[in-house]
């Protein structure tokens, strides 16, 4: 059992897209100290932040996820379309 712990740690640190974004274009970047992977289609995107943040540091995590989508896609995120939390968001794009 204890030999499987490293495998669980590696799997937990992966940034894998939801089924909706399987096969989508992707880009990994660092914004504000967050390592973020963005998966994007023509009209929507998903951003995942696998790195750890303390509770007090999570305030800017959502802002960094939105910024990562906008930098990657050269589109604006439709603010009312954002769904998710400080680790994973999905949003519609306005290009």
């Amino acid at each position: 059992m204890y030999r499987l712990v490293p495998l669980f740690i590696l799997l937990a640190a992966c940034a894998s897209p939801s089924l909706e974004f399987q096969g989508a274009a992707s880009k990994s970047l660092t914004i504000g100290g967050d390592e973020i992977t963005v998966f994007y289609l023509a009209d929507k995107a998903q951003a995942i932040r696998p790195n750890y943040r303390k509770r007090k540091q999570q305030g800017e995590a959502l802002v960094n996820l939105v910024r990562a989508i906008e930098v990657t896609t050269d589109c604006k995120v439709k603010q009312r379309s954002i769904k998710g939390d400080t680790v994973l968001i999905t949003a519609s794009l306005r290009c």
Side-chain angles (χ1 to χ4, degrees), residues 4-17 35 37 48-53 87-88:
L4 294 176
V5 171
L7 176 63
F8 293 134
I9 291 171
L10 286 174
L11 290 175
C14 292
S16 299
E35 300 164 18
T37 302
I48 303 171
R49 178 189 59 83
N51 62 299
Y52 175 77
R53 272 183 170 260
V87 174
L88 182 149

Side-chain angles (χ1 to χ4, degrees), residues 8 13 18 33-34 50 56-58 64 77 80:
F8 293 134
S18 62
D34 286 325
K56 292 179 182 178
Q57 300 171 325
Q58 292 197 14
N64 290 344
V77 168
R80 292 187 174 193

Side-chain angles (χ1 to χ4, degrees), residues 17-27 38-47 69 72-75 90-95:
S18 62
L19 291 176
E20 182 179 11
F21 290 92
Q22 290 292 325
S26 67
K27 180 178 179 180
V38 177
F39 299 92
Y40 57 99
L41 302 169
D43 62 341
K44 56 189 165 186
Q46 183 174 76
I69 289 174
T72 300
T73 62
D74 283 331
C75 297
T90 302
S92 296
L93 302 173
R94 184 175 56 242
C95 297

Side-chain angles (χ1 to χ4, degrees), residues 51-70:
N51 62 299
Y52 175 77
R53 272 183 170 260
K54 293 180 181 178
R55 185 177 298 258
K56 292 179 182 178
Q57 300 171 325
Q58 292 197 14
E60 65 187 33
L62 183 60
V63 174
N64 290 344
L65 290 169
V66 170
R67 182 73 183 127
I69 289 174
E70 292 179 341

